[in-house]
Amino acid sequence: MPDQAQTNEALTPIYRSGFGYDVHRLVEGRPLILGGIEVPFEKGLEGHSDADVLLHALIDAVLGAAGLGDIGAHFPSSDASIEGISSLEMLRKVMDMVGATGWRVENVDGTIVAQRPRLSPHTPRMKTAIAEALGVDEDRVNVKSKTTDGLGFAGRGEGMAAYCAVMLAKDT
Ligand code: MG
């Protein structure tokens, strides 16, 4: 069955992993946008965009896996036209760019580091928003949250950090 063998060979996927990290400061007078949703809290993250620390880590992970640099290169904070931009919109733009070169998302695994508020009740909605922006089923998206036992800037409530790993696949 040489034809079948050739077909299988033609669809053998290749994989690339990516990793992203981000930090934003917590300030008064801003909504808290995390994982593409608004989370009720007395402070929000400061930034040029909506400052969604998890999505920024995710965008860097996707760009990293695709070998396309980083979020700062594609969305420079000097660009006034993107001030206040939704990070979900940035993620969709990045997926258009990455998808055009044949890559698709296999899975995403993200962690938000924050002392407060308690985030686990909100992670299902984050998963939904992220999966929609990525164009994948929700079972390919995992979102976790961690405190730091009060240690460091996150523990003192001065800011939040996020880490994200991504696997991309492409048929060759
Ligand atoms: Mg950022």
Side-chain angles (χ1 to χ4, degrees), residues 18-171:
F19 181 73
Y21 169 70
D22 196 25
V23 170
H24 280 264
R25 187 184 298 272
L26 272 167
V27 294
E28 313 243 339
R30 297 256 306 178
L32 178 59
I33 310 295
L34 275 179
I37 66 164
E38 184 167 346
V39 174
F41 193 49
E42 72 257 24
K43 290 182 175 180
L45 295 170
E46 184 179 50
H48 183 66
S49 65
D50 63 9
D52 188 326
V53 70
L54 177 60
L55 289 197
H56 291 186
L58 169 53
I59 288 168
D60 259 357
V62 170
L63 289 171
L68 291 173
D70 65 23
I71 190 170
H74 296 277
F75 304 97
S77 53
S78 56
D79 183 352
S81 75
I82 57 168
E83 189 163 350
I85 188 174
S86 156
S87 298
L88 274 178
E89 196 183 325
M90 291 160 73
L91 179 58
R92 286 190 204 102
K93 285 183 180 187
V94 164
M95 286 312 298
D96 284 347
M97 196 188 321
V98 167
T101 57
W103 292 107
R104 63 178 183 274
V105 169
E106 276 295 307
N107 77 298
V108 169
D109 185 19
T111 300
I112 304 165
V113 183
Q115 196 66 31
R116 290 178 56 241
R118 193 163 158 264
L119 294 174
S120 54
H122 305 287
T123 53
R125 276 204 301 141
M126 295 181 196
K127 277 182 60 162
T128 303
I130 291 168
E132 211 173 279
L134 293 174
V136 300
D137 290 340
E138 283 185 33
D139 67 355
R140 292 178 184 269
V141 178
N142 194 63
V143 178
K144 310 183 291 302
S145 57
K146 289 277 178 195
T147 71
T148 63
D149 275 344
L151 297 171
F153 69 84
R156 292 189 296 269
E158 295 166 5
M160 292 183 182
Y163 301 85
C164 195
V166 164
M167 181 70 72
L168 297 184
K170 183 197 274 194
D171 292 324

